[in-house]
Coordinates of all heavy atoms in Angstrom, one line a residue:
M1 N -17.6 -50.0 12.8 CA -17.6 -49.1 11.7 C -17.1 -49.8 10.4 O -16.2 -50.5 10.4 CB -16.7 -47.9 11.9 CG -16.9 -46.7 11.0 SD -15.8 -45.4 11.4 CE -16.6 -44.6 12.8
K2 N -17.8 -49.6 9.3 CA -17.4 -50.3 8.0 C -16.1 -49.7 7.5 O -15.9 -48.5 7.7 CB -18.5 -50.1 7.0 CG -19.8 -50.9 7.2 CD -20.8 -50.5 6.2 CE -22.2 -51.2 6.5 NZ -23.2 -50.8 5.6
P3 N -15.3 -50.5 7.0 CA -14.0 -50.0 6.5 C -14.0 -48.8 5.6 O -13.3 -47.9 5.7 CB -13.4 -51.2 5.8 CG -14.1 -52.4 6.3 CD -15.5 -51.9 6.7
Q4 N -15.0 -48.9 4.6 CA -15.0 -47.7 3.7 C -15.4 -46.4 4.4 O -15.0 -45.4 3.9 CB -16.0 -48.1 2.5 CG -17.4 -48.3 2.8 CD -17.7 -49.8 3.0 OE1 -16.9 -50.6 3.6 NE2 -18.8 -50.3 2.5
V5 N -16.2 -46.5 5.4 CA -16.6 -45.3 6.2 C -15.4 -44.7 6.9 O -15.2 -43.5 6.8 CB -17.8 -45.6 7.2 CG1 -18.1 -44.4 8.0 CG2 -19.0 -46.1 6.5
S6 N -14.6 -45.5 7.5 CA -13.5 -45.0 8.3 C -12.4 -44.4 7.3 O -11.8 -43.4 7.6 CB -12.8 -46.1 9.2 OG -12.4 -47.2 8.4
A7 N -12.4 -45.1 6.1 CA -11.4 -44.6 5.1 C -11.9 -43.2 4.6 O -11.1 -42.3 4.4 CB -11.4 -45.5 3.9
L8 N -13.2 -43.0 4.4 CA -13.7 -41.8 4.0 C -13.5 -40.7 5.0 O -13.0 -39.6 4.7 CB -15.2 -41.9 3.8 CG -16.0 -40.6 3.3 CD1 -15.5 -40.2 1.9 CD2 -17.5 -40.9 3.3
L9 N -13.7 -41.0 6.3 CA -13.5 -40.1 7.4 C -12.0 -39.7 7.5 O -11.7 -38.5 7.7 CB -13.9 -40.7 8.7 CG -15.4 -40.8 8.9 CD1 -15.7 -41.4 10.3 CD2 -16.1 -39.4 8.9
A10 N -11.1 -40.6 7.2 CA -9.7 -40.3 7.2 C -9.3 -39.4 6.1 O -8.5 -38.5 6.3 CB -8.9 -41.6 7.1
A11 N -10.0 -39.6 4.9 CA -9.7 -38.7 3.8 C -10.2 -37.3 4.1 O -9.5 -36.3 3.7 CB -10.4 -39.3 2.6
I12 N -11.3 -37.2 4.7 CA -11.9 -35.9 5.0 C -10.9 -35.2 6.0 O -10.6 -34.0 5.9 CB -13.3 -36.0 5.6 CG1 -14.3 -36.5 4.5 CG2 -13.8 -34.6 6.2 CD1 -15.6 -36.9 5.0
G13 N -10.5 -35.9 7.0 CA -9.6 -35.4 8.0 C -8.3 -34.9 7.4 O -7.8 -33.8 7.8
L14 N -7.8 -35.7 6.5 CA -6.5 -35.3 5.8 C -6.7 -34.0 5.0 O -5.9 -33.1 5.1 CB -6.1 -36.5 4.9 CG -4.7 -36.3 4.3 CD1 -3.6 -36.3 5.3 CD2 -4.5 -37.4 3.2
A15 N -7.8 -34.0 4.3 CA -8.1 -32.8 3.4 C -8.2 -31.5 4.3 O -7.7 -30.5 3.9 CB -9.3 -33.0 2.6
A16 N -8.8 -31.7 5.4 CA -9.0 -30.5 6.3 C -7.7 -30.0 6.9 O -7.5 -28.8 7.1 CB -10.0 -30.9 7.4
T17 N -6.8 -31.0 7.1 CA -5.5 -30.6 7.7 C -4.6 -29.9 6.6 O -4.0 -28.9 6.9 CB -4.7 -31.8 8.2 OG1 -5.6 -32.6 9.0 CG2 -3.5 -31.5 9.0
V18 N -4.6 -30.5 5.4 CA -3.7 -30.0 4.4 C -4.2 -28.7 3.8 O -3.6 -27.6 3.9 CB -3.5 -31.0 3.2 CG1 -2.7 -30.5 2.1 CG2 -2.9 -32.3 3.8
A19 N -5.4 -28.7 3.3 CA -6.0 -27.4 2.7 C -7.5 -27.5 2.6 O -8.0 -28.2 1.8 CB -5.4 -27.2 1.3
P20 N -8.2 -26.8 3.5 CA -9.6 -26.9 3.5 C -10.2 -26.4 2.2 O -9.8 -25.3 1.7 CB -10.0 -26.0 4.7 CG -8.8 -25.8 5.5 CD -7.6 -26.0 4.6
A21 N -11.0 -27.2 1.6 CA -11.6 -26.9 0.3 C -12.4 -25.6 0.3 O -12.6 -24.9 -0.7 CB -12.4 -28.0 -0.3
W22 N -12.9 -25.3 1.5 CA -13.8 -24.1 1.6 C -13.1 -22.8 2.0 O -13.7 -21.8 2.2 CB -14.9 -24.4 2.7 CG -14.4 -24.8 4.0 CD1 -14.0 -24.0 5.0 CD2 -14.1 -26.2 4.4 NE1 -13.5 -24.8 6.1 CE2 -13.5 -26.1 5.7 CE3 -14.2 -27.4 3.8 CZ2 -13.1 -27.2 6.4 CZ3 -13.8 -28.5 4.5 CH2 -13.3 -28.4 5.8
A23 N -11.7 -22.9 2.1 CA -11.0 -21.8 2.4 C -10.9 -20.8 1.3 O -10.6 -21.2 0.2 CB -9.5 -22.1 2.8
T24 N -11.2 -19.5 1.5 CA -11.2 -18.6 0.5 C -10.5 -17.3 1.0 O -10.5 -17.0 2.2 CB -12.6 -18.2 0.0 OG1 -13.4 -17.9 1.1 CG2 -13.2 -19.3 -0.8
M25 N -9.8 -16.6 0.1 CA -9.1 -15.4 0.4 C -10.2 -14.3 0.4 O -10.9 -14.2 -0.5 CB -8.0 -15.1 -0.5 CG -6.9 -16.2 -0.5 SD -6.3 -16.5 1.1 CE -5.2 -15.1 1.3
Q26 N -10.2 -13.5 1.4 CA -11.1 -12.4 1.5 C -10.3 -11.1 1.7 O -9.3 -11.1 2.3 CB -12.1 -12.5 2.6 CG -13.1 -13.6 2.4 CD -14.3 -13.5 3.4 OE1 -14.5 -12.4 3.9 NE2 -15.0 -14.5 3.5
T27 N -10.9 -10.0 1.2 CA -10.3 -8.7 1.4 C -11.3 -7.8 2.1 O -12.5 -7.7 1.7 CB -9.9 -8.1 0.1 OG1 -8.9 -8.9 -0.6 CG2 -9.2 -6.7 0.3
V28 N -10.8 -7.2 3.2 CA -11.7 -6.3 3.9 C -11.1 -4.9 4.1 O -9.8 -4.9 4.2 CB -12.1 -6.9 5.3 CG1 -10.9 -7.0 6.2 CG2 -13.2 -6.2 6.0
T29 N -11.8 -3.9 4.1 CA -11.3 -2.6 4.4 C -11.7 -2.2 5.8 O -12.9 -2.1 6.1 CB -11.8 -1.6 3.4 OG1 -11.4 -2.0 2.1 CG2 -11.2 -0.2 3.6
L30 N -10.7 -1.9 6.6 CA -11.0 -1.5 8.0 C -10.8 0.0 8.1 O -9.8 0.6 7.6 CB -10.1 -2.2 9.0 CG -10.1 -3.7 9.0 CD1 -9.1 -4.2 9.9 CD2 -11.5 -4.2 9.4
S31 N -11.7 0.7 8.8 CA -11.6 2.1 9.1 C -10.8 2.2 10.4 O -11.2 1.6 11.4 CB -13.0 2.7 9.3 OG -12.9 4.0 9.7
V32 N -9.7 2.9 10.4 CA -8.8 3.1 11.6 C -8.7 4.6 11.9 O -7.7 5.2 11.5 CB -7.4 2.4 11.4 CG1 -6.7 2.3 12.7 CG2 -7.6 1.1 10.7
P33 N -9.7 5.1 12.5 CA -9.7 6.6 12.8 C -8.7 7.1 13.7 O -8.3 8.3 13.7 CB -11.1 6.9 13.3 CG -11.6 5.6 13.9 CD -10.9 4.5 13.1
G34 N -8.1 6.2 14.5 CA -7.1 6.6 15.6 C -5.7 6.9 15.1 O -4.9 7.3 15.9
M35 N -5.5 6.8 13.8 CA -4.1 7.1 13.3 C -3.9 8.6 13.1 O -4.7 9.3 12.4 CB -3.9 6.4 11.9 CG -4.0 4.9 12.0 SD -3.3 4.1 10.5 CE -4.6 4.4 9.4
T36 N -3.0 9.1 13.9 CA -2.8 10.6 13.9 C -1.5 11.1 13.3 O -1.4 12.3 13.1 CB -2.8 11.0 15.4 OG1 -1.9 10.3 16.1 CG2 -4.2 10.8 16.0
C37 N -0.6 10.2 13.0 CA 0.6 10.7 12.3 C 1.1 9.6 11.3 O 0.6 8.5 11.3 CB 1.7 11.1 13.3 SG 2.5 9.6 14.1
K38 N 2.1 10.0 10.6 CA 2.6 9.1 9.5 C 3.2 7.8 10.0 O 3.4 6.8 9.2 CB 3.6 9.8 8.6 CG 2.9 10.7 7.6 CD 3.9 11.3 6.7 CE 3.1 12.2 5.6 NZ 4.0 12.9 4.7
T39 N 3.6 7.7 11.3 CA 4.2 6.4 11.7 C 3.1 5.4 12.3 O 3.4 4.3 12.5 CB 5.2 6.6 12.8 OG1 4.7 7.4 13.9 CG2 6.4 7.3 12.2
C40 N 1.9 5.9 12.5 CA 0.8 5.1 13.0 C 0.5 3.9 12.1 O 0.4 2.8 12.6 CB -0.5 5.9 13.2 SG -0.4 7.0 14.7
P41 N 0.5 4.1 10.8 CA 0.2 3.0 9.9 C 1.2 1.8 10.0 O 0.9 0.7 9.8 CB 0.3 3.6 8.5 CG -0.1 5.0 8.7 CD 0.5 5.4 10.0
I42 N 2.4 2.2 10.4 CA 3.5 1.1 10.5 C 3.1 0.2 11.7 O 3.1 -1.1 11.5 CB 4.8 1.8 10.8 CG1 5.3 2.7 9.7 CG2 5.9 0.7 11.1 CD1 6.5 3.5 9.9
T43 N 2.6 0.8 12.8 CA 2.2 0.0 13.9 C 0.9 -0.9 13.6 O 0.9 -2.1 13.9 CB 1.8 0.9 15.1 OG1 2.9 1.8 15.3 CG2 1.5 0.1 16.4
V44 N 0.0 -0.3 12.9 CA -1.2 -1.0 12.5 C -0.9 -2.1 11.5 O -1.4 -3.3 11.7 CB -2.2 0.0 11.8 CG1 -3.4 -0.7 11.2 CG2 -2.7 1.0 12.8
K45 N 0.0 -1.8 10.5 CA 0.3 -2.9 9.5 C 1.0 -4.0 10.2 O 0.8 -5.2 9.9 CB 1.3 -2.2 8.5 CG 1.6 -3.1 7.3 CD 2.6 -2.5 6.4 CE 3.1 -3.4 5.3 NZ 2.2 -3.5 4.1
K46 N 1.9 -3.7 11.2 CA 2.7 -4.7 11.9 C 1.7 -5.6 12.7 O 1.8 -6.9 12.7 CB 3.6 -4.0 12.9 CG 4.9 -4.8 13.2 CD 5.8 -4.0 13.9 CE 6.9 -4.7 14.7 NZ 7.7 -3.9 15.5
A47 N 0.7 -5.0 13.4 CA -0.2 -5.8 14.2 C -1.1 -6.7 13.3 O -1.3 -7.9 13.6 CB -1.1 -4.8 14.9
L48 N -1.5 -6.2 12.1 CA -2.3 -7.0 11.2 C -1.5 -8.1 10.6 O -2.0 -9.2 10.4 CB -3.0 -6.1 10.2 CG -4.1 -5.2 10.6 CD1 -4.4 -4.2 9.6 CD2 -5.3 -6.0 11.0
S49 N -0.3 -7.8 10.2 CA 0.6 -8.8 9.5 C 0.9 -10.0 10.5 O 1.1 -11.1 10.0 CB 1.9 -8.2 9.1 OG 1.6 -7.1 8.2
K50 N 0.9 -9.8 11.8 CA 1.2 -10.8 12.7 C 0.0 -11.8 12.9 O 0.2 -12.9 13.4 CB 1.5 -10.2 14.1 CG 3.0 -9.9 14.3 CD 3.3 -9.6 15.7 CE 2.8 -8.3 16.2 NZ 3.2 -8.0 17.6
V51 N -1.2 -11.5 12.5 CA -2.3 -12.4 12.6 C -2.2 -13.5 11.6 O -1.9 -13.3 10.4 CB -3.7 -11.6 12.3 CG1 -4.8 -12.5 12.4 CG2 -3.8 -10.4 13.3
D52 N -2.3 -14.7 12.1 CA -2.2 -15.9 11.3 C -3.3 -16.0 10.2 O -4.4 -15.8 10.6 CB -2.2 -17.2 12.2 CG -2.0 -18.4 11.4 OD1 -1.1 -18.4 10.5 OD2 -2.7 -19.4 11.6
G53 N -2.9 -16.1 9.0 CA -3.9 -16.1 7.9 C -3.9 -14.9 7.1 O -4.5 -14.9 6.0
V54 N -3.3 -13.8 7.6 CA -3.2 -12.6 6.8 C -2.1 -12.7 5.8 O -1.0 -13.0 6.1 CB -3.0 -11.4 7.7 CG1 -2.7 -10.1 6.9 CG2 -4.2 -11.1 8.6
S55 N -2.4 -12.4 4.5 CA -1.4 -12.5 3.5 C -1.0 -11.2 2.9 O 0.1 -11.0 2.4 CB -1.9 -13.4 2.3 OG -3.1 -12.8 1.8
K56 N -1.8 -10.1 3.1 CA -1.5 -8.8 2.5 C -2.1 -7.7 3.4 O -3.3 -7.8 3.7 CB -2.0 -8.8 1.1 CG -1.3 -7.7 0.3 CD -1.8 -7.7 -1.2 CE -1.5 -6.4 -1.8 NZ -2.5 -6.0 -2.9
T57 N -1.4 -6.7 3.7 CA -1.9 -5.6 4.4 C -1.4 -4.3 3.8 O -0.2 -4.1 3.5 CB -1.4 -5.6 5.9 OG1 -1.6 -6.9 6.4 CG2 -2.1 -4.6 6.7
S58 N -2.4 -3.4 3.5 CA -2.0 -2.1 3.0 C -2.7 -1.0 3.8 O -3.9 -1.0 3.9 CB -2.5 -2.0 1.5 OG -2.4 -0.7 1.1
V59 N -1.9 -0.2 4.5 CA -2.5 0.8 5.4 C -2.3 2.2 4.9 O -1.2 2.6 4.5 CB -1.9 0.7 6.8 CG1 -2.6 1.6 7.8 CG2 -2.0 -0.7 7.4
S60 N -3.3 3.0 4.8 CA -3.3 4.3 4.3 C -3.5 5.3 5.4 O -4.6 5.3 6.0 CB -4.3 4.5 3.2 OG -4.4 5.9 2.9
F61 N -2.6 6.2 5.7 CA -2.7 7.2 6.8 C -3.7 8.2 6.3 O -4.6 8.7 7.0 CB -1.4 7.8 7.1 CG -1.5 9.0 8.0 CD1 -2.1 8.9 9.2 CD2 -1.1 10.3 7.5 CE1 -2.2 10.1 10.0 CE2 -1.2 11.4 8.3 CZ -1.8 11.3 9.6
E62 N -3.6 8.6 5.0 CA -4.5 9.7 4.5 C -5.9 9.3 4.5 O -6.8 10.1 4.8 CB -4.1 10.0 3.0 CG -2.8 10.8 2.9 CD -1.5 10.0 3.1 OE1 -1.6 8.7 3.1 OE2 -0.5 10.6 3.3
Q63 N -6.2 8.0 4.2 CA -7.6 7.5 4.2 C -8.0 7.0 5.6 O -9.2 6.7 5.7 CB -7.7 6.3 3.2 CG -7.2 6.6 1.8 CD -8.1 7.6 1.0 OE1 -9.3 7.5 1.2 NE2 -7.5 8.5 0.3
R64 N -7.1 6.9 6.5 CA -7.3 6.3 7.8 C -8.0 4.9 7.7 O -9.0 4.6 8.3 CB -8.3 7.2 8.6 CG -7.8 8.6 8.8 CD -6.7 8.7 9.8 NE -6.5 10.1 10.3 CZ -5.9 11.0 9.6 NH1 -5.5 10.8 8.4 NH2 -5.8 12.2 10.1
E65 N -7.4 4.1 6.8 CA -7.9 2.8 6.6 C -6.9 1.7 6.3 O -5.8 2.1 5.9 CB -9.0 2.8 5.5 CG -8.4 3.1 4.1 CD -9.5 3.1 3.0 OE1 -10.6 3.5 3.3 OE2 -9.1 2.7 1.9
A66 N -7.2 0.5 6.5 CA -6.4 -0.6 6.3 C -7.1 -1.6 5.4 O -8.2 -2.0 5.7 CB -6.0 -1.3 7.6
V67 N -6.4 -2.0 4.3 CA -7.0 -3.0 3.4 C -6.3 -4.3 3.7 O -5.0 -4.4 3.5 CB -6.9 -2.6 1.9 CG1 -7.5 -3.7 1.0 CG2 -7.6 -1.2 1.7
V68 N -7.0 -5.3 4.1 CA -6.4 -6.6 4.6 C -6.9 -7.8 3.7 O -8.1 -7.9 3.6 CB -6.7 -6.9 6.1 CG1 -5.8 -8.0 6.5 CG2 -6.4 -5.6 6.9
T69 N -6.0 -8.6 3.2 CA -6.4 -9.8 2.5 C -6.0 -10.9 3.4 O -4.9 -11.0 3.9 CB -5.6 -9.9 1.2 OG1 -5.8 -8.8 0.4 CG2 -6.0 -11.2 0.4
F70 N -7.0 -11.8 3.7 CA -6.8 -12.9 4.6 C -7.5 -14.2 4.2 O -8.4 -14.2 3.4 CB -7.2 -12.5 6.0 CG -8.7 -12.2 6.1 CD1 -9.6 -13.2 6.6 CD2 -9.2 -11.0 5.7 CE1 -11.0 -12.9 6.7 CE2 -10.6 -10.7 5.8 CZ -11.5 -11.7 6.3
D71 N -7.0 -15.3 4.8 CA -7.6 -16.6 4.6 C -8.7 -16.8 5.6 O -8.4 -16.8 6.8 CB -6.5 -17.6 4.7 CG -7.0 -19.1 4.5 OD1 -8.2 -19.3 4.6 OD2 -6.1 -19.9 4.2
D72 N -10.0 -16.9 5.2 CA -11.1 -16.9 6.1 C -11.2 -18.2 6.9 O -12.0 -18.4 7.8 CB -12.4 -16.5 5.5 CG -13.0 -17.5 4.5 OD1 -12.3 -18.5 4.3 OD2 -14.1 -17.3 4.1
A73 N -10.4 -19.2 6.5 CA -10.3 -20.5 7.3 C -9.4 -20.3 8.5 O -9.5 -21.1 9.4 CB -9.9 -21.6 6.4
K74 N -8.5 -19.4 8.4 CA -7.5 -19.2 9.5 C -7.8 -18.0 10.4 O -7.4 -18.0 11.6 CB -6.1 -19.0 8.9 CG -5.5 -20.2 8.3 CD -4.1 -19.9 7.8 CE -3.5 -21.2 7.2 NZ -2.2 -20.9 6.5
T75 N -8.5 -17.0 9.9 CA -8.8 -15.9 10.7 C -10.1 -15.3 10.3 O -10.8 -15.7 9.4 CB -7.6 -14.8 10.7 OG1 -7.8 -13.9 11.7 CG2 -7.6 -14.1 9.3
S76 N -10.5 -14.2 11.1 CA -11.8 -13.6 10.8 C -11.7 -12.1 10.9 O -10.7 -11.6 11.5 CB -12.8 -14.1 11.8 OG -12.4 -13.7 13.1
V77 N -12.7 -11.4 10.5 CA -12.7 -9.9 10.6 C -12.6 -9.5 12.0 O -11.9 -8.5 12.4 CB -13.9 -9.3 9.9 CG1 -14.0 -7.8 10.2 CG2 -13.9 -9.6 8.4
Q78 N -13.2 -10.2 12.9 CA -13.2 -9.9 14.3 C -11.8 -10.0 14.9 O -11.4 -9.2 15.7 CB -14.1 -10.9 15.0 CG -14.6 -10.4 16.4 CD -15.3 -11.4 17.2 OE1 -15.6 -12.5 16.7 NE2 -15.6 -11.1 18.4
K79 N -11.0 -11.0 14.4 CA -9.7 -11.1 14.9 C -8.8 -10.0 14.4 O -7.9 -9.6 15.1 CB -9.1 -12.5 14.5 CG -9.6 -13.6 15.4 CD -9.0 -15.0 14.9 CE -9.6 -16.1 15.7 NZ -9.3 -17.4 15.1
L80 N -9.1 -9.5 13.2 CA -8.3 -8.4 12.6 C -8.6 -7.1 13.4 O -7.7 -6.4 13.8 CB -8.7 -8.2 11.2 CG -8.5 -9.4 10.2 CD1 -8.9 -9.1 8.8 CD2 -7.0 -9.8 10.2
T81 N -9.9 -6.8 13.7 CA -10.2 -5.6 14.4 C -9.6 -5.7 15.9 O -9.2 -4.7 16.4 CB -11.7 -5.3 14.5 OG1 -12.4 -6.5 15.0 CG2 -12.2 -5.1 13.1
Q82 N -9.6 -6.9 16.4 CA -9.1 -7.2 17.7 C -7.6 -6.9 17.7 O -7.1 -6.3 18.7 CB -9.3 -8.6 18.1 CG -9.0 -8.9 19.6 CD -9.9 -8.3 20.6 OE1 -11.1 -8.5 20.6 NE2 -9.3 -7.4 21.4
A83 N -6.9 -7.3 16.7 CA -5.5 -7.1 16.6 C -5.1 -5.6 16.5 O -4.2 -5.2 17.2 CB -4.9 -7.8 15.3
T84 N -5.9 -4.8 15.8 CA -5.6 -3.4 15.7 C -5.9 -2.7 17.1 O -5.2 -1.8 17.5 CB -6.3 -2.6 14.6 OG1 -7.7 -2.7 14.8 CG2 -6.0 -3.3 13.2
E85 N -7.0 -3.2 17.7 CA -7.4 -2.6 19.0 C -6.3 -2.9 20.0 O -5.9 -2.0 20.8 CB -8.7 -3.2 19.4 CG -9.3 -2.5 20.6 CD -10.7 -2.9 20.9 OE1 -11.4 -3.5 20.1 OE2 -11.1 -2.5 22.1
N86 N -5.8 -4.1 20.0 CA -4.7 -4.5 20.9 C -3.4 -3.6 20.7 O -2.7 -3.4 21.6 CB -4.3 -6.0 20.8 CG -5.4 -6.9 21.3 OD1 -6.3 -6.4 22.0 ND2 -5.3 -8.1 21.0
A87 N -3.3 -3.1 19.5 CA -2.1 -2.3 19.2 C -2.4 -0.9 19.5 O -1.5 0.0 19.4 CB -1.7 -2.5 17.7
G88 N -3.6 -0.6 20.0 CA -3.9 0.8 20.3 C -4.7 1.6 19.3 O -4.9 2.8 19.4
Y89 N -5.2 0.8 18.3 CA -6.0 1.5 17.2 C -7.3 0.7 16.9 O -7.3 -0.1 16.0 CB -5.1 1.5 15.9 CG -3.9 2.3 16.1 CD1 -2.7 1.7 16.5 CD2 -3.9 3.7 15.9 CE1 -1.5 2.5 16.6 CE2 -2.7 4.5 16.1 CZ -1.5 3.8 16.4 OH -0.4 4.6 16.6
P90 N -8.3 1.0 17.7 CA -9.6 0.4 17.4 C -10.0 0.6 16.0 O -9.9 1.7 15.4 CB -10.6 1.0 18.4 CG -9.7 1.6 19.4 CD -8.4 2.0 18.8
S91 N -10.6 -0.4 15.3 CA -11.0 -0.3 14.0 C -12.4 -0.9 13.8 O -12.8 -1.7 14.6 CB -10.0 -1.0 13.0 OG -9.9 -2.4 13.3
S92 N -13.0 -0.6 12.6 CA -14.2 -1.2 12.3 C -14.3 -1.4 10.8 O -13.6 -0.8 10.1 CB -15.4 -0.3 12.8 OG -15.3 1.0 12.2
V93 N -15.2 -2.3 10.4 CA -15.3 -2.6 9.0 C -15.9 -1.4 8.2 O -16.9 -0.9 8.6 CB -16.1 -3.9 8.7 CG1 -16.3 -4.2 7.2 CG2 -15.5 -5.1 9.4
K94 N -15.2 -1.1 7.1 CA -15.8 0.0 6.3 C -16.7 -0.6 5.3 O -16.4 -1.5 4.6 CB -14.6 0.7 5.6 CG -14.8 2.2 5.3 CD -13.5 2.8 4.9 CE -13.7 4.3 4.8 NZ -12.4 5.0 4.5
Q95 N -17.9 0.0 5.3 CA -18.9 -0.6 4.4 C -18.8 0.0 3.0 O -18.6 1.2 2.9 CB -20.4 -0.4 4.9 CG -20.6 -1.0 6.3 CD -20.5 -2.5 6.3 OE1 -20.6 -3.2 5.2 NE2 -20.3 -3.1 7.4
Ligands
LIG1 CU1 1.4 8.1 14.9

């Protein structure tokens, strides 16, 4: 391998470890119909906040929804809905 090629690969590897250039913050609204009382959002918020890459979570009991801001390089919508489901509150993306 030519020296300049390995140097380039090392630079790419370093960049990917430190901060992927393609990482973007995304916000998704999840419909969480299973919330039945005012303490349910606490459980849902806690479950979502524990997901690596989630930076902000806002759960509304009245709207039965959770608005989540996350780093799409670290997590995905699927992981978010999985997290609420594991906590006992299946959710889906609100369109
Ligand atoms: Cu409840």
Side-chain angles (χ1 to χ4, degrees):
M1 193 180 283
K2 288 175 183 175
Q4 60 266 42
V5 175
S6 58
L8 179 67
L9 289 177
I12 292 169
L14 185 67
T17 310
V18 177
W22 55 89
T24 49
M25 298 307 283
Q26 286 198 19
T27 300
V28 68
T29 301
L30 301 175
S31 174
V32 194
M35 296 195 287
T36 53
C37 76
K38 281 186 176 175
T39 57
C40 287
I42 298 169
T43 309
V44 173
K45 188 183 170 89
K46 209 170 160 186
L48 288 166
S49 301
K50 272 196 286 184
V51 178
D52 185 42
V54 171
S55 59
K56 199 180 160 210
T57 310
S58 171
V59 185
S60 166
F61 170 61
E62 286 76 17
Q63 306 291 321
R64 303 287 195 284
E65 67 181 31
V67 180
V68 189
T69 303
F70 63 98
D71 182 339
D72 72 355
K74 287 183 178 171
T75 191
S76 63
V77 171
Q78 199 187 355
K79 281 179 187 168
L80 300 177
T81 56
Q82 188 68 59
T84 66
E85 190 171 345
N86 289 346
Y89 299 92
S91 62
S92 57
V93 179
K94 211 167 188 176
Q95 301 296 342

